[in-house]
Amino acid sequence: MTVLARIKFVILVWAAATVFFTAVLEISELGHKPLGFALYANAVHFALWALTLPIFVRCIRRFPLKEPKRIRNAGFLLILIAVLAMVVDFTHWAIVYPTYFPYRSSLPTFKIMLGSDLFWFLPNEILIGIVLVTAIEGWQVLQDLQAERMRAMALERQLAVSRLEALRMQLHPHFLFNTLHTIAGLTVEDPGTARRMVIALGDLLRSTLKENGNRVRTLAEELEYSDLYLGIEKLRFGDRLLLNYEIEPAATRALVPQFLLQPLFENAIRHGASGMTGPCEICFCASCKSGTLNIMIRNDGSQRAPRSALPRSGVGLTNTTDRLQIHYGERHTFSYSDRPEGGVQIDISIPYSEAGDGAGTGAGSAGSMREPAMDGTDRTSRMAAPTIG
């Protein structure tokens, strides 16, 4: 709260207290005291207490009612309240008596009036001081709680950002080392393919360095990035790798975490095409339903024994589940399962949030297979495949 806002708040409370206690005085005295006098006396009275607020605030900060010196500080504050109560009471009558006091005939001198009323009103003044100290202490406790909550939220945001950056930096070397290992194996066997893979890897890294720092992007943009990775794998496996995309048009506009799909495709290839001698189809499906974006990736592969455990998640899948947890908390689902006919399937459901109109259009259209190309040709080719939507 700014200084001006605090001043406005104090003035508002002063006016409210003046009107309230004037009304109480008039009702209790049944109109025996002039309304103008009651209003004037209360206005001066509470204005004097308002002037003591900076003193109370400074002393409460200097002597907080917290352990381990709570009792000592409380005693000091009580003494301060008693002293200020006497000062306020004396100053109040010293101002009211010579300016507007309609009862001078019964109390001819200020000294006589002060002797009869100073200690009579002192308990009430001490009570007002205690109320003010309690209110200030409560206000400061509330401000401390709000400040602590803001610090906790800031630390939580910083922790989430740090974890995302750490996961991202871990994901890139993981893919990079795998690709370099593949290129090294092709250098002797197929130098031409190895050269094209180096060029493709350069395109992929260049695309990564162009990222603007956003942590989410449309599914269409994510698919474009994944195409660069799949282009490298397409060079590696050739016609053995078949890609099938079944995507609703609305799903291409959905926002997803950056680098969500690449480790999923890598997992599908590792547990599919890498372990097969024949063709391996990888199917990617994306659909929207009831405010949820559903993503499915399945791949062909060899059948596993009925009681064998699922393979342990590697760096890519572990990072994916961690990043989904950071982005969506409990509002997402991630399922990894064996297919009865062989291969594995990954199902992901996340809250659907859409970018601006036209974001990511022209990519990932329904019923098309985005065939990665390394020679500058068009990336999209038609295939006979079932469509969604």
Side-chain angles (χ1 to χ4, degrees):
M1 183 181 294
T2 63
V3 176
L4 181 59
R6 292 178 182 177
I7 293 176
K8 291 181 178 179
F9 178 76
V10 170
I11 293 175
L12 180 63
V13 174
W14 164 76
T18 298
V19 173
F20 176 77
F21 282 99
T22 298
V24 171
L25 183 62
E26 287 298 306
I27 293 174
S28 62
E29 296 291 337
L30 298 178
H32 292 170
K33 285 185 170 58
L35 178 61
F37 167 72
L39 190 63
Y40 173 68
N42 280 316
V44 173
H45 182 215
F46 290 110
L48 291 172
W49 275 115
L51 294 176
T52 65
L53 289 178
I55 301 176
F56 280 130
V57 170
R58 180 168 297 182
C59 291
I60 290 174
R61 290 177 179 174
R62 179 67 178 82
F63 302 96
L65 297 178
K66 300 177 182 179
E67 296 293 349
K69 300 180 180 180
R70 177 181 299 174
I71 297 178
R72 189 200 70 175
N73 293 347
F76 172 82
L77 291 176
L78 285 175
I79 295 174
L80 176 66
I81 290 171
V83 172
L84 290 179
M86 289 188 290
V87 172
V88 168
D89 197 14
F90 176 83
T91 307
H92 172 231
W93 290 116
I95 294 174
V96 171
Y97 185 84
T99 54
Y100 180 35
F101 188 70
Y103 305 104
R104 292 183 183 179
S105 57
S106 58
L107 294 173
T109 64
F110 174 70
K111 183 177 180 180
I112 296 177
M113 186 277 299
L114 194 63
S116 61
D117 289 346
L118 179 62
F119 293 99
W120 174 263
F121 289 105
L122 187 59
N124 293 334
E125 304 292 352
I126 294 177
L127 180 60
I128 292 175
I130 293 175
V131 170
L132 288 177
V133 169
T134 304
I136 294 172
E137 180 69 22
W139 177 260
Q140 290 195 350
V141 169
L142 179 61
Q143 284 187 319
D144 292 341
L145 289 176
Q146 291 177 342
E148 187 64 29
R149 187 179 297 110
M150 294 299 294
R151 284 194 295 268
M153 292 175 62
L155 289 174
E156 185 176 354
R157 285 195 298 269
Q158 292 175 1
L159 177 61
V161 170
S162 299
R163 289 180 63 191
L164 282 173
E165 292 300 324
L167 292 172
R168 177 177 174 179
M169 295 305 295
Q170 187 181 22
L171 179 63
H172 288 174
H174 173 243
F175 162 69
L176 179 61
F177 294 149
N178 286 349
T179 304
L180 291 176
H181 184 269
T182 301
I183 294 173
L186 292 173
T187 301
V188 177
E189 298 176 5
D190 191 349
T193 301
R195 179 178 179 276
R196 290 195 297 272
M197 289 185 70
V198 171
I199 295 174
L201 179 60
D203 292 338
L204 179 63
L205 295 178
R206 188 179 302 108
S207 175
T208 302
L209 294 175
K210 289 181 180 179
E211 295 301 329
N212 55 13
N214 294 332
R215 293 174 179 83
V216 294
R217 57 184 169 191
T218 63
L219 181 64
E221 293 169 335
E222 183 68 12
L223 286 169
E224 290 177 357
Y225 179 83
S226 298
D227 277 353
L228 297 174
Y229 163 75
L230 292 172
I232 296 175
E233 298 294 0
K234 189 68 175 177
L235 287 172
R236 177 185 174 190
F237 293 100
D239 294 337
R240 290 172 50 204
L241 182 60
L242 303 177
L243 303 174
N244 181 10
Y245 285 74
E246 304 171 7
I247 307 173
E248 285 186 354
T252 62
R253 299 189 296 271
L255 293 176
V256 298
Q258 282 198 22
F259 311 110
L260 174 68
L261 300 184
Q262 184 270 326
L264 303 182
F265 282 118
E266 183 176 352
N267 179 80
I269 292 174
R270 184 171 66 251
H271 294 287
S274 296
M276 298 176 62
T277 58
C280 174
E281 182 185 49
I282 296 176
C283 182
F284 175 85
C285 300
S287 61
C288 306
K289 183 178 180 181
S290 303
T292 300
L293 174 66
N294 299 307
I295 296 174
M296 184 274 293
I297 296 181
R298 67 172 181 263
N299 61 271
D300 295 335
S302 58
Q303 290 185 339
R304 297 174 56 83
R307 295 187 177 181
S308 62
L310 290 175
R312 182 179 179 182
S313 297
V315 175
L317 287 185
T318 301
N319 281 345
T320 299
T321 55
D322 287 345
R323 295 173 69 243
L324 287 172
Q325 181 65 33
I326 292 174
H327 277 279
Y328 305 108
E330 301 301 323
R331 298 179 299 140
H332 81 281
T333 60
F334 182 93
S335 174
Y336 184 97
S337 59
D338 274 329
R339 300 174 63 200
E341 61 273 25
V344 297
Q345 178 172 320
I346 295 176
D347 294 280
I348 297 175
S349 296
I350 60 176
Y352 180 89
S353 59
E354 188 172 311
D357 293 339
T361 57
S365 58
S368 65
M369 183 185 76
R370 302 163 57 84
E371 193 74 33
M374 295 299 107
D375 55 359
T377 58
D378 186 12
R379 292 181 178 274
T380 303
S381 63
R382 287 288 174 180
M383 66 173 294
T387 60
I388 300 176

PDB file of all heavy atoms in Angstrom, residues 306-332:
ATOM      1  N   PRO A 306       4.032 -62.348 -21.986  1.00  0.00           N
ATOM      2  CA  PRO A 306       2.872 -61.851 -21.238  1.00  0.00           C
ATOM      3  C   PRO A 306       3.211 -61.265 -19.884  1.00  0.00           C
ATOM      4  O   PRO A 306       2.612 -60.272 -19.461  1.00  0.00           O
ATOM      5  CB  PRO A 306       1.987 -63.101 -21.091  1.00  0.00           C
ATOM      6  CG  PRO A 306       2.408 -63.991 -22.216  1.00  0.00           C
ATOM      7  CD  PRO A 306       3.877 -63.737 -22.412  1.00  0.00           C
ATOM      8  N   ARG A 307       4.174 -61.816 -19.172  1.00  0.00           N
ATOM      9  CA  ARG A 307       4.458 -61.367 -17.808  1.00  0.00           C
ATOM     10  C   ARG A 307       5.707 -60.490 -17.721  1.00  0.00           C
ATOM     11  O   ARG A 307       6.149 -60.145 -16.643  1.00  0.00           O
ATOM     12  CB  ARG A 307       4.640 -62.568 -16.878  1.00  0.00           C
ATOM     13  CG  ARG A 307       3.367 -63.395 -16.717  1.00  0.00           C
ATOM     14  CD  ARG A 307       3.561 -64.471 -15.660  1.00  0.00           C
ATOM     15  NE  ARG A 307       2.339 -65.231 -15.449  1.00  0.00           N
ATOM     16  CZ  ARG A 307       2.213 -66.218 -14.568  1.00  0.00           C
ATOM     17  NH1 ARG A 307       3.271 -66.568 -13.817  1.00  0.00           N
ATOM     18  NH2 ARG A 307       1.066 -66.853 -14.436  1.00  0.00           N
ATOM     19  N   SER A 308       6.279 -60.167 -18.842  1.00  0.00           N
ATOM     20  CA  SER A 308       7.497 -59.343 -18.795  1.00  0.00           C
ATOM     21  C   SER A 308       7.137 -57.911 -18.472  1.00  0.00           C
ATOM     22  O   SER A 308       6.098 -57.401 -18.881  1.00  0.00           O
ATOM     23  CB  SER A 308       8.232 -59.407 -20.141  1.00  0.00           C
ATOM     24  OG  SER A 308       7.408 -58.892 -21.171  1.00  0.00           O
ATOM     25  N   ALA A 309       7.995 -57.255 -17.727  1.00  0.00           N
ATOM     26  CA  ALA A 309       7.735 -55.880 -17.311  1.00  0.00           C
ATOM     27  C   ALA A 309       7.996 -54.928 -18.468  1.00  0.00           C
ATOM     28  O   ALA A 309       8.774 -55.223 -19.379  1.00  0.00           O
ATOM     29  CB  ALA A 309       8.633 -55.514 -16.121  1.00  0.00           C
ATOM     30  N   LEU A 310       7.334 -53.787 -18.420  1.00  0.00           N
ATOM     31  CA  LEU A 310       7.583 -52.766 -19.426  1.00  0.00           C
ATOM     32  C   LEU A 310       9.016 -52.270 -19.301  1.00  0.00           C
ATOM     33  O   LEU A 310       9.582 -52.231 -18.200  1.00  0.00           O
ATOM     34  CB  LEU A 310       6.619 -51.594 -19.239  1.00  0.00           C
ATOM     35  CG  LEU A 310       5.144 -51.860 -19.578  1.00  0.00           C
ATOM     36  CD1 LEU A 310       4.313 -50.636 -19.221  1.00  0.00           C
ATOM     37  CD2 LEU A 310       4.966 -52.220 -21.036  1.00  0.00           C
ATOM     38  N   PRO A 311       9.623 -51.886 -20.405  1.00  0.00           N
ATOM     39  CA  PRO A 311      10.997 -51.394 -20.327  1.00  0.00           C
ATOM     40  C   PRO A 311      11.068 -50.135 -19.471  1.00  0.00           C
ATOM     41  O   PRO A 311      10.146 -49.317 -19.447  1.00  0.00           O
ATOM     42  CB  PRO A 311      11.346 -51.098 -21.789  1.00  0.00           C
ATOM     43  CG  PRO A 311      10.040 -50.939 -22.478  1.00  0.00           C
ATOM     44  CD  PRO A 311       9.093 -51.844 -21.773  1.00  0.00           C
ATOM     45  N   ARG A 312      12.175 -50.022 -18.791  1.00  0.00           N
ATOM     46  CA  ARG A 312      12.377 -48.855 -17.927  1.00  0.00           C
ATOM     47  C   ARG A 312      12.441 -47.585 -18.766  1.00  0.00           C
ATOM     48  O   ARG A 312      13.065 -47.547 -19.817  1.00  0.00           O
ATOM     49  CB  ARG A 312      13.665 -49.031 -17.134  1.00  0.00           C
ATOM     50  CG  ARG A 312      13.940 -47.893 -16.160  1.00  0.00           C
ATOM     51  CD  ARG A 312      15.218 -48.156 -15.407  1.00  0.00           C
ATOM     52  NE  ARG A 312      15.522 -47.081 -14.491  1.00  0.00           N
ATOM     53  CZ  ARG A 312      16.612 -47.045 -13.727  1.00  0.00           C
ATOM     54  NH1 ARG A 312      17.480 -48.042 -13.781  1.00  0.00           N
ATOM     55  NH2 ARG A 312      16.819 -46.035 -12.912  1.00  0.00           N
ATOM     56  N   SER A 313      11.746 -46.541 -18.303  1.00  0.00           N
ATOM     57  CA  SER A 313      11.725 -45.281 -19.046  1.00  0.00           C
ATOM     58  C   SER A 313      13.117 -44.678 -19.112  1.00  0.00           C
ATOM     59  O   SER A 313      13.831 -44.622 -18.111  1.00  0.00           O
ATOM     60  CB  SER A 313      10.769 -44.282 -18.374  1.00  0.00           C
ATOM     61  OG  SER A 313       9.452 -44.772 -18.397  1.00  0.00           O
ATOM     62  N   GLY A 314      13.497 -44.245 -20.331  1.00  0.00           N
ATOM     63  CA  GLY A 314      14.784 -43.603 -20.491  1.00  0.00           C
ATOM     64  C   GLY A 314      14.708 -42.122 -20.217  1.00  0.00           C
ATOM     65  O   GLY A 314      13.727 -41.601 -19.677  1.00  0.00           O
ATOM     66  N   VAL A 315      15.760 -41.406 -20.637  1.00  0.00           N
ATOM     67  CA  VAL A 315      15.825 -39.967 -20.381  1.00  0.00           C
ATOM     68  C   VAL A 315      14.673 -39.244 -21.054  1.00  0.00           C
ATOM     69  O   VAL A 315      14.034 -38.364 -20.468  1.00  0.00           O
ATOM     70  CB  VAL A 315      17.177 -39.412 -20.873  1.00  0.00           C
ATOM     71  CG1 VAL A 315      17.215 -37.894 -20.737  1.00  0.00           C
ATOM     72  CG2 VAL A 315      18.316 -40.038 -20.083  1.00  0.00           C
ATOM     73  N   GLY A 316      14.372 -39.598 -22.322  1.00  0.00           N
ATOM     74  CA  GLY A 316      13.346 -38.880 -23.065  1.00  0.00           C
ATOM     75  C   GLY A 316      11.981 -38.968 -22.430  1.00  0.00           C
ATOM     76  O   GLY A 316      11.312 -37.951 -22.196  1.00  0.00           O
ATOM     77  N   LEU A 317      11.526 -40.199 -22.113  1.00  0.00           N
ATOM     78  CA  LEU A 317      10.203 -40.369 -21.524  1.00  0.00           C
ATOM     79  C   LEU A 317      10.149 -39.805 -20.103  1.00  0.00           C
ATOM     80  O   LEU A 317       9.132 -39.242 -19.688  1.00  0.00           O
ATOM     81  CB  LEU A 317       9.815 -41.844 -21.513  1.00  0.00           C
ATOM     82  CG  LEU A 317       9.445 -42.459 -22.870  1.00  0.00           C
ATOM     83  CD1 LEU A 317       8.969 -43.887 -22.691  1.00  0.00           C
ATOM     84  CD2 LEU A 317       8.383 -41.627 -23.565  1.00  0.00           C
ATOM     85  N   THR A 318      11.224 -39.961 -19.351  1.00  0.00           N
ATOM     86  CA  THR A 318      11.254 -39.386 -18.002  1.00  0.00           C
ATOM     87  C   THR A 318      11.123 -37.873 -18.058  1.00  0.00           C
ATOM     88  O   THR A 318      10.370 -37.260 -17.280  1.00  0.00           O
ATOM     89  CB  THR A 318      12.550 -39.777 -17.284  1.00  0.00           C
ATOM     90  OG1 THR A 318      12.637 -41.206 -17.206  1.00  0.00           O
ATOM     91  CG2 THR A 318      12.588 -39.189 -15.887  1.00  0.00           C
ATOM     92  N   ASN A 319      11.836 -37.247 -18.972  1.00  0.00           N
ATOM     93  CA  ASN A 319      11.717 -35.798 -19.133  1.00  0.00           C
ATOM     94  C   ASN A 319      10.314 -35.401 -19.562  1.00  0.00           C
ATOM     95  O   ASN A 319       9.773 -34.381 -19.110  1.00  0.00           O
ATOM     96  CB  ASN A 319      12.732 -35.300 -20.158  1.00  0.00           C
ATOM     97  CG  ASN A 319      14.124 -35.177 -19.582  1.00  0.00           C
ATOM     98  OD1 ASN A 319      14.291 -35.193 -18.368  1.00  0.00           O
ATOM     99  ND2 ASN A 319      15.122 -35.071 -20.438  1.00  0.00           N
ATOM    100  N   THR A 320       9.714 -36.203 -20.446  1.00  0.00           N
ATOM    101  CA  THR A 320       8.362 -35.881 -20.913  1.00  0.00           C
ATOM    102  C   THR A 320       7.366 -35.903 -19.767  1.00  0.00           C
ATOM    103  O   THR A 320       6.556 -34.972 -19.605  1.00  0.00           O
ATOM    104  CB  THR A 320       7.932 -36.876 -22.009  1.00  0.00           C
ATOM    105  OG1 THR A 320       8.835 -36.782 -23.105  1.00  0.00           O
ATOM    106  CG2 THR A 320       6.525 -36.573 -22.484  1.00  0.00           C
ATOM    107  N   THR A 321       7.390 -36.942 -18.952  1.00  0.00           N
ATOM    108  CA  THR A 321       6.456 -37.017 -17.823  1.00  0.00           C
ATOM    109  C   THR A 321       6.727 -35.916 -16.811  1.00  0.00           C
ATOM    110  O   THR A 321       5.788 -35.334 -16.245  1.00  0.00           O
ATOM    111  CB  THR A 321       6.562 -38.392 -17.152  1.00  0.00           C
ATOM    112  OG1 THR A 321       7.927 -38.643 -16.770  1.00  0.00           O
ATOM    113  CG2 THR A 321       6.110 -39.491 -18.097  1.00  0.00           C
ATOM    114  N   ASP A 322       7.987 -35.587 -16.585  1.00  0.00           N
ATOM    115  CA  ASP A 322       8.317 -34.513 -15.648  1.00  0.00           C
ATOM    116  C   ASP A 322       7.807 -33.169 -16.155  1.00  0.00           C
ATOM    117  O   ASP A 322       7.250 -32.364 -15.396  1.00  0.00           O
ATOM    118  CB  ASP A 322       9.827 -34.440 -15.418  1.00  0.00           C
ATOM    119  CG  ASP A 322      10.343 -35.585 -14.576  1.00  0.00           C
ATOM    120  OD1 ASP A 322       9.502 -36.269 -13.947  1.00  0.00           O
ATOM    121  OD2 ASP A 322      11.560 -35.808 -14.550  1.00  0.00           O
ATOM    122  N   ARG A 323       7.976 -32.910 -17.450  1.00  0.00           N
ATOM    123  CA  ARG A 323       7.551 -31.623 -18.004  1.00  0.00           C
ATOM    124  C   ARG A 323       6.031 -31.515 -18.042  1.00  0.00           C
ATOM    125  O   ARG A 323       5.466 -30.448 -17.818  1.00  0.00           O
ATOM    126  CB  ARG A 323       8.138 -31.431 -19.395  1.00  0.00           C
ATOM    127  CG  ARG A 323       9.656 -31.321 -19.360  1.00  0.00           C
ATOM    128  CD  ARG A 323      10.290 -31.290 -20.724  1.00  0.00           C
ATOM    129  NE  ARG A 323       9.970 -30.035 -21.397  1.00  0.00           N
ATOM    130  CZ  ARG A 323       9.276 -29.946 -22.527  1.00  0.00           C
ATOM    131  NH1 ARG A 323       8.831 -31.039 -23.094  1.00  0.00           N
ATOM    132  NH2 ARG A 323       9.038 -28.776 -23.068  1.00  0.00           N
ATOM    133  N   LEU A 324       5.330 -32.622 -18.302  1.00  0.00           N
ATOM    134  CA  LEU A 324       3.870 -32.604 -18.232  1.00  0.00           C
ATOM    135  C   LEU A 324       3.405 -32.321 -16.809  1.00  0.00           C
ATOM    136  O   LEU A 324       2.428 -31.588 -16.596  1.00  0.00           O
ATOM    137  CB  LEU A 324       3.305 -33.945 -18.708  1.00  0.00           C
ATOM    138  CG  LEU A 324       3.383 -34.217 -20.215  1.00  0.00           C
ATOM    139  CD1 LEU A 324       2.967 -35.657 -20.514  1.00  0.00           C
ATOM    140  CD2 LEU A 324       2.513 -33.233 -20.990  1.00  0.00           C
ATOM    141  N   GLN A 325       4.093 -32.865 -15.821  1.00  0.00           N
ATOM    142  CA  GLN A 325       3.737 -32.616 -14.429  1.00  0.00           C
ATOM    143  C   GLN A 325       3.946 -31.157 -14.070  1.00  0.00           C
ATOM    144  O   GLN A 325       3.127 -30.550 -13.367  1.00  0.00           O
ATOM    145  CB  GLN A 325       4.566 -33.522 -13.506  1.00  0.00           C
ATOM    146  CG  GLN A 325       4.264 -33.358 -12.023  1.00  0.00           C
ATOM    147  CD  GLN A 325       2.861 -33.791 -11.671  1.00  0.00           C
ATOM    148  OE1 GLN A 325       2.328 -34.712 -12.275  1.00  0.00           O
ATOM    149  NE2 GLN A 325       2.261 -33.141 -10.694  1.00  0.00           N
ATOM    150  N   ILE A 326       5.026 -30.561 -14.559  1.00  0.00           N
ATOM    151  CA  ILE A 326       5.302 -29.155 -14.260  1.00  0.00           C
ATOM    152  C   ILE A 326       4.260 -28.260 -14.916  1.00  0.00           C
ATOM    153  O   ILE A 326       3.749 -27.310 -14.309  1.00  0.00           O
ATOM    154  CB  ILE A 326       6.715 -28.784 -14.733  1.00  0.00           C
ATOM    155  CG1 ILE A 326       7.765 -29.500 -13.883  1.00  0.00           C
ATOM    156  CG2 ILE A 326       6.935 -27.276 -14.660  1.00  0.00           C
ATOM    157  CD1 ILE A 326       9.183 -29.308 -14.369  1.00  0.00           C
ATOM    158  N   HIS A 327       3.923 -28.545 -16.171  1.00  0.00           N
ATOM    159  CA  HIS A 327       2.984 -27.692 -16.906  1.00  0.00           C
ATOM    160  C   HIS A 327       1.548 -27.839 -16.411  1.00  0.00           C
ATOM    161  O   HIS A 327       0.832 -26.849 -16.291  1.00  0.00           O
ATOM    162  CB  HIS A 327       3.039 -28.026 -18.401  1.00  0.00           C
ATOM    163  CG  HIS A 327       4.144 -27.344 -19.139  1.00  0.00           C
ATOM    164  ND1 HIS A 327       4.059 -26.033 -19.575  1.00  0.00           N
ATOM    165  CD2 HIS A 327       5.367 -27.782 -19.511  1.00  0.00           C
ATOM    166  CE1 HIS A 327       5.176 -25.709 -20.192  1.00  0.00           C
ATOM    167  NE2 HIS A 327       5.983 -26.743 -20.172  1.00  0.00           N
ATOM    168  N   TYR A 328       1.119 -29.072 -16.136  1.00  0.00           N
ATOM    169  CA  TYR A 328      -0.307 -29.321 -15.924  1.00  0.00           C
ATOM    170  C   TYR A 328      -0.645 -29.917 -14.564  1.00  0.00           C
ATOM    171  O   TYR A 328      -1.832 -30.020 -14.237  1.00  0.00           O
ATOM    172  CB  TYR A 328      -0.844 -30.257 -17.014  1.00  0.00           C
ATOM    173  CG  TYR A 328      -0.587 -29.746 -18.412  1.00  0.00           C
ATOM    174  CD1 TYR A 328       0.358 -30.356 -19.238  1.00  0.00           C
ATOM    175  CD2 TYR A 328      -1.274 -28.652 -18.912  1.00  0.00           C
ATOM    176  CE1 TYR A 328       0.604 -29.883 -20.520  1.00  0.00           C
ATOM    177  CE2 TYR A 328      -1.038 -28.172 -20.191  1.00  0.00           C
ATOM    178  CZ  TYR A 328      -0.094 -28.794 -20.984  1.00  0.00           C
ATOM    179  OH  TYR A 328       0.148 -28.325 -22.246  1.00  0.00           O
ATOM    180  N   GLY A 329       0.343 -30.320 -13.780  1.00  0.00           N
ATOM    181  CA  GLY A 329       0.041 -30.898 -12.480  1.00  0.00           C
ATOM    182  C   GLY A 329      -0.775 -32.183 -12.624  1.00  0.00           C
ATOM    183  O   GLY A 329      -0.440 -33.080 -13.392  1.00  0.00           O
ATOM    184  N   GLU A 330      -1.897 -32.231 -11.900  1.00  0.00           N
ATOM    185  CA  GLU A 330      -2.757 -33.413 -11.939  1.00  0.00           C
ATOM    186  C   GLU A 330      -3.784 -33.341 -13.059  1.00  0.00           C
ATOM    187  O   GLU A 330      -4.648 -34.217 -13.153  1.00  0.00           O
ATOM    188  CB  GLU A 330      -3.477 -33.562 -10.587  1.00  0.00           C
ATOM    189  CG  GLU A 330      -2.546 -33.697  -9.392  1.00  0.00           C
ATOM    190  CD  GLU A 330      -1.620 -34.897  -9.530  1.00  0.00           C
ATOM    191  OE1 GLU A 330      -2.079 -35.936 -10.054  1.00  0.00           O
ATOM    192  OE2 GLU A 330      -0.436 -34.796  -9.127  1.00  0.00           O
ATOM    193  N   ARG A 331      -3.699 -32.336 -13.909  1.00  0.00           N
ATOM    194  CA  ARG A 331      -4.698 -32.166 -14.974  1.00  0.00           C
ATOM    195  C   ARG A 331      -4.293 -32.869 -16.261  1.00  0.00           C
ATOM    196  O   ARG A 331      -4.787 -32.531 -17.327  1.00  0.00           O
ATOM    197  CB  ARG A 331      -4.937 -30.678 -15.248  1.00  0.00           C
ATOM    198  CG  ARG A 331      -5.495 -29.904 -14.048  1.00  0.00           C
ATOM    199  CD  ARG A 331      -5.676 -28.450 -14.382  1.00  0.00           C
ATOM    200  NE  ARG A 331      -4.403 -27.830 -14.737  1.00  0.00           N
ATOM    201  CZ  ARG A 331      -4.252 -26.950 -15.714  1.00  0.00           C
ATOM    202  NH1 ARG A 331      -5.285 -26.605 -16.459  1.00  0.00           N
ATOM    203  NH2 ARG A 331      -3.064 -26.428 -15.975  1.00  0.00           N
ATOM    204  N   HIS A 332      -3.411 -33.834 -16.200  1.00  0.00           N
ATOM    205  CA  HIS A 332      -3.002 -34.560 -17.385  1.00  0.00           C
ATOM    206  C   HIS A 332      -2.929 -36.056 -17.074  1.00  0.00           C
ATOM    207  O   HIS A 332      -2.897 -36.459 -15.909  1.00  0.00           O
ATOM    208  CB  HIS A 332      -1.619 -34.083 -17.856  1.00  0.00           C
ATOM    209  CG  HIS A 332      -0.477 -34.704 -17.103  1.00  0.00           C
ATOM    210  ND1 HIS A 332      -0.095 -34.273 -15.846  1.00  0.00           N
ATOM    211  CD2 HIS A 332       0.331 -35.750 -17.412  1.00  0.00           C
ATOM    212  CE1 HIS A 332       0.907 -35.012 -15.424  1.00  0.00           C
ATOM    213  NE2 HIS A 332       1.195 -35.920 -16.338  1.00  0.00           N
TER     214      HIS A 332
END
